[in-house]
Amino acid sequence: MAPYCVIAIINQKGGVGKTTTAINLSACLGYFGFKTLLIDADPQSNSTIGVGVQPEDYNYTFYNYLLGNYNLSDVVIKTKFTGLYLLPTNDDLYAADIDLSKIGDDNYNTLASKMGNQISEYDFIVFDSPPHLGPLTLNIMKASDTLLVPLKADFLALQGIAILMKTLDRIKINLNAKINLKGVVLTMFNQSTNLCKEVEQSVKEVLGDIVFDTKINQNVTLAEAPSFGKPVIYYNFKSSGSENYRLLTAEFLKRMKIAKRDS
Ligand SMILES: Nc1ncnc2c1ncn2[C@@H]1O[C@H](COP(=O)(O)OP(=O)(O)OP(=O)(O)O)[C@@H](O)[C@H]1O
Ligand SMILES: [Mg+2]
């Protein structure tokens, strides 16, 4: 069986909630009964650390998988969280953009051609990605079929989304016709500010139904949880951040017409 979908969490802007969404969506999918592989494809290693894994403890990481002779099963580790597996990364991955460029014009296919039938045991694959659109990010987009975009609710949000939509059009034409934007999620939302409400209204006017109803509120628990190496549902289940990500995951599954399993 192939996974239900291979999800790329993408936004070329930094600090918009990509890693927080990758970690917590993956953990909630695992918690809901789906075997989920989180691939930390950002050399900053924030997703790796955020699920309690120390990058320096592993000699073989995403970098070795992408550019070496390793199978997925050689490099994936089982986390201590239900249903959640991790392909960790470390700072070796900073070399990937240059190494990929050296491969030549078809370097964008490196990851997709490696993953092939090696991912069939997972229900979901979730990529955390770097904050720029270099060869590594293009490899992620080629290997994925589903795009989720976290959008920080600030006044530059719409400018960022315009650039991303233009890039997505180019990707669909030139790189991967089967990738689809399946959702935009507003993050770090502060209900009490007019700015956030205005941003939400404008984003919905431009993007319509693609914007999730569930918003991720600004919540300090979400910022604290990674320092304890835990997804928020395992750090503080009752926090609003935990509830937001459980609701987002449920909304995503509904949108994808995938029935929730017993957890
Ligand atoms: N909803 C939230 N409430 C409060 N803090 C948050 C929230 N979401 C993310 N943060 C914090 O904001 C910072 C940026 O978030 P995150 O690391 O997820 O963004 P990113 O897009 O992955 O950044 P980068 O582009 O550098 O990889 C982090 O310190 C994170 O803990
Ligand atoms: Mg990140």
Side-chain angles (χ1 to χ4, degrees):
M1 275 259 298
Y4 289 111
C5 52
V6 180
I7 305 163
I9 313 282
I10 299 273
N11 191 328
Q12 78 283 359
K13 268 174 76 80
V16 296
K18 290 183 292 296
T19 299
T20 307
T21 301
I23 292 173
N24 290 300
L25 176 73
S26 306
C28 288
L29 287 168
Y31 177 79
F32 287 156
F34 298 99
K35 186 170 180 179
T36 302
L37 173 62
L38 170 62
I39 301 184
D40 188 354
D42 181 356
Q44 297 181 92
S45 312
N46 294 345
S47 276
T48 301
I49 295 163
V51 296
V53 172
Q54 295 314 310
E56 59 277 10
D57 288 351
Y58 291 88
N59 291 329
Y60 303 106
T61 59
F62 178 60
Y63 175 79
N64 305 91
Y65 179 65
L66 179 67
L67 290 150
N69 278 322
Y70 296 88
N71 291 320
L72 201 56
S73 56
D74 300 328
V75 283
V76 166
I77 54 179
K78 191 173 181 333
T79 72
K80 55 189 175 206
F81 308 108
T82 308
L84 182 62
Y85 295 75
L86 173 76
L87 176 39
T89 209
N90 63 20
D91 57 15
D92 289 346
L93 196 62
Y94 279 111
D97 274 341
I98 292 174
D99 291 353
L100 284 165
S101 311
K102 286 185 195 152
I103 292 175
D105 286 347
D106 62 348
N107 80 72
Y108 302 126
N109 206 22
T110 308
L111 178 61
S113 64
K114 283 215 77 168
M115 279 170 56
N117 56 8
Q118 295 186 14
I119 53 175
S120 57
E121 68 180 279
Y122 298 99
D123 294 314
F124 290 99
I125 313 285
V126 178
F127 281 105
D128 185 15
S129 63
H132 54 84
L133 292 167
L136 182 54
T137 306
L138 294 176
N139 264 271
I140 297 167
M141 295 232 214
K142 175 76 181 171
S144 304
D145 49 47
T146 300
L147 207 64
L148 288 190
V149 176
L151 203 61
K152 185 173 171 184
D154 67 17
F155 79 106
L156 290 173
L158 275 176
Q159 189 201 18
I161 202 80
I163 296 167
L164 196 69
M165 297 301 275
K166 221 157 120 183
T167 309
L168 180 60
D169 285 346
R170 288 206 195 107
I171 301 264
K172 278 182 83 90
I173 293 166
N174 298 312
L175 191 72
N176 182 1
K178 74 177 198 313
I179 195 164
N180 283 310
L181 176 61
K182 285 290 168 79
V184 171
V185 56
L186 286 166
T187 60
M188 300 180 224
F189 199 84
N190 184 343
Q191 202 74 48
S192 65
T193 68
N194 284 334
L195 176 64
C196 274
K197 286 183 206 152
E198 283 163 24
V199 169
E200 180 182 17
Q201 200 180 346
S202 315
V203 167
K204 283 189 169 160
E205 271 166 23
V206 175
L207 297 173
D209 288 346
I210 208 74
V211 184
F212 285 108
D213 290 334
T214 310
K215 300 183 282 281
I216 308 299
N217 293 319
Q218 196 140 41
N219 177 232
V220 70
T221 317
L222 283 168
E224 283 168 7
S227 62
F228 291 87
K230 289 181 179 177
V232 72
I233 51 168
Y234 296 101
Y235 174 63
N236 184 345
F237 189 82
K238 291 189 171 156
S239 62
S240 78
S242 163
E243 188 187 14
N244 289 164
Y245 273 106
R246 279 181 278 131
L247 286 174
L248 177 71
T249 306
E251 188 180 352
F252 171 71
L253 288 170
K254 194 170 166 206
R255 191 173 274 197
M256 301 300 283
K257 299 188 169 57
I258 300 167
K260 234 166 105 176
R261 294 180 184 167
D262 291 335
S263 54

